[in-house]
Amino acid sequence: MRKNIRIVFMGTPEFAVASLDALVNAGYNIVGVVTAPDKPAGRGMKLTESAVKKYAVEKGLHILQPEKLKNPEFLEQLRSLNADLQVVVAFRMLPEIVWNMPPMGTINVHGSLLPQYRGAAPINWAVINGEKETGVTTFKLQHEIDTGNILLQDRFTIAENDTAGEVHDRMKEIGAQLLVKTVDGLVNDSLKEIEQDNTTELKHAPKIFTETCKIDWSKSADAVYNQIRGLCPYPAAFTQLDGKTLKIYSAKKEHSKHPDTPGTICTDKKTFLKFATADGYISVQEIQLEGKKRMGVEDFLRGYR
């Protein structure tokens, strides 16, 4: 049954590879993989393939890399694949002419419990906001972004010390299994679509900008600690140290009443470096000063005056 279902998969980063791999291992017929064009990267600006393309090449899958999704040539190639279903995981926003093409529609794997955290960075914002739980949603694409009917959801806990990177790695595996279950359900006609509930107050997950990463030390120790976790390992929360950017990858929080102005630096110049917040301190553990490599705080203090 699975071999008879023609699927076009659309995705770009490493997060999407787990889902594509799960479909391949489940025996589904992947007739095409749509991913981003190769981009120059690194010091030599060498053309680099997306994680999804590397996987597709390894598996001998048919690859399409359109610059524009409304390009007539690309649309003709897509049509010629005669897909029954399209699957989107961490890809671009699709025009209707693309998502409406296959008879079974287009489904998306989204890294949140929709309708909460619609947007480009659901994992980061769930951690930044100190959520104790998150999950994955599979849903049918329609006009407005992340608003289609829900097919399945799976929940899991965010531990107090989890970083966005750790949540990402758990989520990609959970999402991959949920995707296979979803496609099976669509093929068996056993899934009931559920409209998203928009009556509750929604939390959004917009794209992460530089301003999102800048630490405001006048906030609580909890808020700053969650910001650091939610932006690790990339793009990383940052502050200024002697006029240079200091990225903070991991830290510990301390709650205490103190006389220090938020942002004040406290250090013994050997073992600890901490910044005052509104209600305590953030003791940095792993950092990277502009122009230097990432290192532990003791190594940093050993070489910095």
Side-chain angles (χ1 to χ4, degrees):
M1 191 68 168
R2 286 173 168 176
K3 272 287 175 202
N4 297 334
I5 304 300
R6 299 174 64 83
I7 295 176
V8 166
F9 184 91
M10 302 181 181
T12 295
E14 188 228 343
F15 184 87
V17 174
S19 288
L20 177 54
D21 185 52
L23 289 172
V24 168
N25 289 334
Y28 277 107
N29 183 13
I30 309 300
V31 295
V33 173
V34 183
T35 190
D38 299 352
K39 288 197 172 92
R43 286 183 179 172
M45 295 305 278
K46 187 181 171 188
L47 278 180
T48 307
E49 300 170 334
S50 75
V52 163
K53 182 181 175 182
K54 284 176 186 168
Y55 176 89
V57 168
E58 191 184 301
K59 295 292 180 182
L61 301 172
H62 180 60
I63 300 163
L64 298 173
Q65 293 179 276
E67 287 285 350
K68 293 181 179 174
L69 297 176
K70 287 184 179 178
N71 179 301
E73 190 183 341
F74 164 67
L75 292 173
E76 194 47 51
Q77 289 173 325
L78 194 59
R79 268 191 210 97
S80 71
L81 296 174
N82 289 319
D84 298 299
L85 177 71
Q86 289 175 161
V87 173
V88 181
V89 185
F91 193 57
R92 287 178 266 174
M93 200 171 161
L94 301 185
E96 184 175 359
I97 195 168
V98 172
W99 60 255
N100 214 8
M101 198 178 282
M104 289 172 69
T106 299
I107 60 171
N108 185 216
V109 177
H110 185 74
S112 82
L113 296 169
L114 290 173
Q116 299 297 352
Y117 294 107
R118 290 173 179 157
I123 297 173
N124 302 92
W125 284 105
V127 179
I128 290 169
N129 289 340
E131 299 288 359
K132 301 286 188 277
E133 182 184 64
T134 188
V136 192
T137 303
T138 53
F139 70 98
K140 280 267 185 88
L141 254 61
Q142 62 181 39
H143 287 95
E144 288 183 58
I145 191 163
D146 300 337
T147 60
N149 289 348
I150 291 170
L151 297 167
L152 288 174
Q153 289 188 321
D154 199 355
R155 299 167 178 267
F156 65 93
T157 302
I158 302 176
E160 192 179 357
N161 299 325
D162 278 345
T163 64
E166 289 162 339
V167 175
H168 166 282
D169 290 348
R170 268 207 311 285
M171 189 179 281
K172 72 180 180 186
E173 300 303 334
I174 292 168
Q177 296 314 309
L178 190 70
L179 172 61
V180 172
K181 206 185 285 185
T182 302
V183 179
D184 284 348
L186 288 172
V187 172
N188 300 333
D189 201 23
S190 61
L191 281 188
K192 185 183 175 187
E193 295 183 26
I194 301 163
E195 276 190 37
Q196 292 191 36
D197 175 16
N198 295 316
T199 57
T200 53
E201 188 180 342
L202 298 181
K203 297 170 187 173
H204 297 283
K207 193 174 175 183
I208 301 292
F209 292 101
T210 303
E211 204 52 39
T212 319
C213 304
K214 191 176 179 181
I215 296 171
D216 177 357
W217 296 110
S218 68
K219 290 185 175 178
S220 68
D222 283 343
V224 175
Y225 178 68
N226 291 341
Q227 181 186 12
I228 291 166
R229 292 191 302 128
L231 295 168
C232 176
Y234 181 83
F238 71 88
T239 189
Q240 295 293 311
L241 182 66
D242 296 333
K244 288 190 173 181
T245 298
L246 180 75
K247 289 185 176 182
I248 304 174
Y249 294 96
S250 69
K252 290 180 180 175
K253 57 182 176 178
E254 302 171 14
H255 295 105
S256 65
K257 289 183 179 177
H258 60 75
D260 294 324
T261 306
T264 299
I265 296 168
C266 305
T267 180
D268 64 355
K269 298 182 181 178
K270 290 179 184 176
T271 60
F272 74 85
L273 173 66
K274 57 188 185 180
F275 293 82
T277 68
D279 61 356
Y281 295 94
I282 290 292
S283 181
V284 301
Q285 303 293 302
E286 197 174 1
I287 52 182
Q288 183 178 17
L289 189 66
E290 190 180 323
K292 303 286 183 183
K293 65 179 183 178
R294 182 171 163 175
M295 63 183 78
V297 69
E298 290 187 19
D299 289 336
F300 172 77
L301 290 171
R302 208 173 286 126
Y304 188 78
R305 292 290 174 266

